[in-house]
Amino acid sequence: MSTEILKEPDSAHRGRLQKGPMVLLGAGLFVLLTLWISSTALGLFLPAYSGMMFQAQLILIVPTLILALLLTRVLYKYWLRPLQQLQAWTQRIRAGDLETKVPLPESGELRDITRDINNLSRELSSLIVEMDGKVRAQTEHIAAKSRSLEILYDIATDLSIARNLDEMLEQFLETLMVLVDARAATVRLLTDDHKTYMVASLGLSETVTKQEQWVDVDRCLCGHISKIGGIGIQYGIEECNQFLNCAMVEGECKELIVVPLQYRDRILGVYNLFLARPSSELGKDVRDLLNSIGKHLGLAIEKSRLDDKERRLSIMEERNMIGNELHDSLAQSLVSMRLQAKMLGELLYKKDLLSAQNELRGLRSAIDEAHDSLRELLANFKSRMDGRGLVPTIKELALQFREETGIAVFLQNEWHEFSFTPTQEVQVFRIIQEALTNIRKHSNAGNVRIMLHQINDEHFDVMIEDDGLGMSHNESSVKRGENIGITIMTERAQRIGGKLSVESEVSEGTRVNLTFPAKPGSHDNEHIFGALSGARTPH
C-alpha cells in the first residue's frame, strides 16, 4: 500500500497554474477577435458574402464575450483584488494598525509577495511591542531615578539648613519617614565602649526610647550592621520586642531596615526604618537610595562633629589669647603699680613728701593706663563675629571705627568664593581689630585703608595701613602698647599658619600685612572626640 504525500505547489508551479488559464483564455480571445475582424473585412471586400460574414460574426460574439468575461474574472481574482487588498493594508498601516494582515491569495505570484509582506508586518509588530516594553521599562527606571534624586535633594537640603546636630537629625527623620512611608525611624551612633547610642528617634514611645537608649553592638541586627556594613533587613520586629516590656512600634511592622552611616571608609553608626509594607514595593533601586542617604547623613554628622571640635578649639585658643593679653597688659601694669606703691610707702616713711608726690602722680598715671587697657580689652572681647560671615563683620568694624574716631576708613574687598574655618575668621578679625586699636591710640592718622586681597587659590592677604606718625626702628622708642599689640597680632597669625609683617617709618604711616593659607592646618582636621568617636571600618 503506497501513501501519497500532498505538498503545496511551489511558486513556479503555482505560477504555471495561474498563467495556463490566462494564456489559453487570452489566446482564444485573440483568435476569436481575429476571426471577427477577418469576417468584417471579407464582408466589406466581398459584398456577395456579406450576409454569410454577418452571420459568422453573430456566432463569434457569444464565445468572444464568454472568453472576455472569463479573462476579466481571472485578472480580477489573481491581480486586481490582491492589489486592492494590498492598498487597503497600506492605508491601515498608515492609520497605526500594525497588526493588520493582507489576505493571502489562493495562488499566483502575488501570493509569495503577500506572505512576505505579512511576515515583515508580523516582525515589525513584534519589534514595536518589544521596543514599547523597553521604552516603558526605561521610562519607569528614569522615573525611579528621578524620584531617588528628589529624595536625595530633600535629604541634602534638610541636612544643610539645620543649625545643630539635634535639629539636623530631627528634620532628616521627618523627611525620610514621609518619603518611604515608615511607622518609625531612629539614628544610632557608635561609641567607644562597643555600644550604639540612640541620638534621635521619631515614632517611638518614650518608654521604648529610654529602654533602647544604649544597646550592645553584639545584641541585634543594628550592632551587626554597624560592625560589618551593608544593608540589613529583618522581617517583623519580634526579635526587637523580646528585649522590651512593650511593643517597639504601634501597629503592624513588615520590615526593619538597618542602613549604615558611612563617612569615607568608616561606619559612624546606623539608621533604622520600621516599614508598614515590604521594601520591595519601594522599587528595585531602594537599596542604592538608602545607602546613598546613609552616606549623606554620615558626611553631615562628621561635619557637625568637626564643627563642634573647631568651635571648642577656637574657644580654647581665644581663652589662651585673652590670658596672654591680660598678662601682657594688665598683669604687667599691676606689677608696676605694686612696685610704685611700695616706693610710695618707703618715701612716706622717710617723710620725703616731694618725692612721694611725684611717685603718687606716676601711680595715678599707671592706674589710668591700666584702666584704659582694661576698657580696650573689654571692648574687644564684647565684639562678636557677624552671623553673615567675616567680610560683613569687618565692614561693621570699619564703620564703627570711623564713627568713634572720625578717621576716614576705606575698605577694599577682593575676596570671592572663599570659605574660612571659624578659627580663621576669628583670628583674622582680631588682627584687624588690634591693628585699628593701635591706630586709634598711637598713630594720629587721618585715613586708614583695609584691603582684603586673594593672592591665588591657596593664599589670602590682609593689609591695614594708615597715614599717621609711624614708628621708629629703635625698639626703645616704640610705645609699650604698640609693642604688645604687634606681639599679639603675630601670635594670632601663627595660629592660622600665617605670617605678619609691619612696615613703618616716622611720619610715613604704618602698614600691617597678614598672609595666610586658604586651607587650615592639620590640627583642624583631627578625628572627632568624646563618647561618640568610636567609628569602625567595615570588614
Side-chain angles (χ1 to χ4, degrees):
M1 181 178 179
S2 62
T3 302
E4 182 179 359
I5 299 176
L6 299 178
K7 297 183 179 179
E8 183 180 357
D10 58 14
S11 59
H13 184 59
R14 288 196 305 271
R16 289 194 296 270
L17 290 177
Q18 175 190 3
K19 291 179 180 178
M22 292 181 61
V23 171
L24 292 176
L25 291 173
L29 183 62
F30 176 77
V31 170
L32 291 176
L33 289 175
T34 302
L35 292 175
W36 194 86
I37 294 172
S38 299
S39 62
T40 302
L42 289 174
L44 293 175
F45 290 104
L46 299 174
Y49 297 97
S50 61
M52 185 184 299
M53 294 299 104
F54 180 73
Q55 293 177 357
Q57 288 178 346
L58 292 177
I59 295 172
L60 292 174
I61 287 176
V62 175
T64 301
L65 291 176
I66 293 174
L67 290 178
L69 290 174
L70 291 175
L71 183 60
T72 302
R73 183 175 180 276
V74 170
L75 289 174
Y76 176 77
K77 180 179 180 180
Y78 293 105
W79 290 95
L80 294 179
R81 187 170 64 179
L83 291 175
Q84 290 176 351
Q85 292 172 344
L86 184 60
Q87 184 180 12
W89 173 81
T90 58
Q91 292 176 351
R92 289 194 294 270
I93 289 291
R94 290 177 181 176
D97 185 8
L98 300 178
E99 296 182 358
T100 185
K101 293 181 176 57
V102 183
L104 193 64
E106 296 178 359
S107 62
E109 294 181 354
L110 290 180
R111 178 183 176 88
D112 294 336
I113 297 176
T114 302
R115 180 184 288 112
D116 293 339
I117 290 175
N118 287 335
N119 290 336
L120 289 175
S121 178
R122 189 181 305 109
E123 292 179 4
L124 177 61
S125 178
S126 176
L127 288 175
I128 290 177
V129 171
E130 182 181 359
M131 184 181 66
D132 287 342
K134 291 182 178 180
V135 170
R136 190 180 304 107
Q138 190 67 19
T139 301
E140 293 175 355
H141 179 70
I142 293 175
K145 288 294 185 182
S146 299
R147 178 60 175 164
S148 299
L149 290 175
E150 290 177 2
I151 293 175
L152 289 177
Y153 176 78
D154 292 339
I155 295 295
T157 301
D158 289 340
L159 296 179
S160 62
I161 64 177
R163 289 171 292 182
N164 54 59
L165 182 61
D166 293 337
E167 181 181 350
M168 177 185 69
L169 295 178
E170 181 180 354
Q171 292 179 352
F172 164 76
L173 292 180
E174 288 180 355
T175 302
L176 189 59
M177 285 184 62
V178 172
L179 293 174
V180 301
D181 192 23
R183 291 192 178 276
T186 64
V187 177
R188 293 181 172 275
L189 297 183
L190 283 170
T191 64
D192 288 332
D193 54 355
H194 302 286
K195 295 180 182 294
T196 60
Y197 175 67
M198 186 187 298
V199 294
S201 66
L202 201 60
L204 300 182
S205 65
E206 185 177 354
T207 302
V208 173
T209 302
K210 289 181 179 180
Q211 295 183 37
E212 289 288 297
Q213 196 77 48
W214 297 89
V215 175
D216 291 334
V217 295
D218 298 325
R219 194 193 79 172
C220 58
L221 182 62
C222 297
H224 182 68
I225 296 300
S226 67
K227 290 191 296 183
I228 67 171
I231 296 179
I233 297 180
Q234 175 181 300
Y235 300 98
I237 55 174
E238 288 74 14
E239 296 183 18
C240 300
N241 292 337
Q242 64 180 338
F243 299 104
L244 304 171
N245 54 18
C246 61
M248 176 71 78
V249 295
E250 297 181 359
E252 185 180 10
C253 180
K254 294 288 186 180
E255 287 184 1
L256 167 63
I257 299 182
V258 183
V259 186
L261 304 174
Q262 291 182 279
Y263 174 70
R264 295 181 179 174
D265 58 347
R266 296 186 297 124
I267 298 180
L268 307 179
V270 296
Y271 74 89
N272 304 335
L273 295 173
F274 299 85
L275 301 181
R277 56 175 178 165
S279 58
S280 58
E281 297 182 8
L282 299 176
K284 62 180 180 180
D285 297 328
V286 64
R287 286 177 173 264
D288 294 336
L289 173 61
L290 295 178
N291 194 45
S292 297
I293 292 175
K295 292 180 180 179
H296 277 77
L297 183 58
L299 176 62
I301 291 175
E302 183 71 5
K303 181 179 181 300
S304 177
R305 288 176 170 177
L306 292 176
D307 288 343
D308 287 339
K309 183 173 184 180
E310 180 72 23
R311 283 190 290 270
R312 293 188 183 185
L313 291 175
S314 178
I315 291 174
M316 293 175 61
E317 291 180 356
E318 192 64 22
R319 287 177 177 175
N320 292 335
M321 188 62 64
I322 291 173
N324 293 334
E325 292 183 10
L326 290 174
H327 176 270
D328 292 338
S329 57
L330 287 180
Q332 294 183 9
S333 297
L334 291 175
V335 170
S336 176
M337 286 187 289
R338 182 178 180 182
L339 294 175
Q340 288 178 319
K342 181 179 180 181
M343 291 293 298
L344 179 61
E346 293 177 356
L347 292 174
L348 291 175
Y349 179 77
K350 296 177 181 180
K351 296 182 180 181
D352 187 354
L353 298 181
L354 182 60
S355 298
Q357 289 178 353
N358 293 331
E359 194 66 33
L360 180 60
R361 283 192 293 269
L363 181 59
R364 287 176 177 173
S365 178
I367 292 174
D368 291 338
E369 183 178 348
H371 182 260
D372 292 339
S373 298
L374 178 60
R375 290 181 61 183
E376 291 176 4
L377 289 176
L378 291 176
N380 289 342
F381 297 156
K382 288 180 180 180
S383 299
R384 292 290 182 266
M385 290 294 300
D386 193 304
R388 295 170 296 173
L390 178 59
V391 173
T393 306
I394 295 175
K395 291 180 179 179
E396 186 67 25
L397 177 64
L399 179 62
Q400 181 181 355
F401 178 83
R402 184 180 62 184
E403 293 177 350
E404 293 178 355
T405 63
I407 300 175
V409 181
F410 303 94
L411 176 61
Q412 182 178 350
N413 177 29
E414 297 179 1
W415 287 351
H416 302 288
E417 298 182 1
F418 63 92
S419 178
F420 298 140
T421 65
T423 298
Q424 287 177 308
E425 291 186 349
V426 169
Q427 300 302 340
V428 171
F429 171 72
R430 293 300 189 192
I431 289 173
I432 297 176
Q433 187 181 52
E434 183 65 32
L436 293 179
T437 298
N438 287 337
I439 293 173
R440 180 207 305 260
K441 292 171 58 175
H442 310 295
S443 71
N444 195 25
N447 297 280
V448 174
R449 183 164 74 107
I450 303 173
M451 187 176 72
L452 311 177
H453 175 62
Q454 184 171 345
I455 301 175
N456 50 44
D457 293 339
E458 301 295 331
H459 293 85
F460 290 83
D461 179 81
V462 179
M463 184 186 69
I464 308 101
E465 63 178 358
D466 64 78
D467 58 357
L469 300 176
M471 295 185 299
S472 172
H473 293 287
N474 184 2
E475 293 185 2
S476 60
S477 63
V478 177
K479 296 183 180 179
R480 180 167 166 269
E482 290 178 297
N483 195 15
I484 293 175
I486 293 174
T487 301
I488 293 173
M489 288 189 292
T490 302
E491 292 178 357
R492 289 190 181 277
Q494 293 173 352
R495 291 182 183 275
I496 57 175
K499 295 181 179 180
L500 185 84
S501 62
V502 179
E503 301 176 5
S504 182
E505 295 288 344
V506 177
S507 301
E508 295 293 335
T510 303
R511 174 182 295 175
V512 176
N513 195 82
L514 167 67
T515 303
F516 64 98
K519 296 181 180 180
S522 60
H523 67 278
D524 294 324
N525 296 319
E526 295 176 356
H527 293 305
I528 54 178
F529 58 93
L532 300 178
S533 61
R536 289 179 171 83
T537 301
H539 300 303

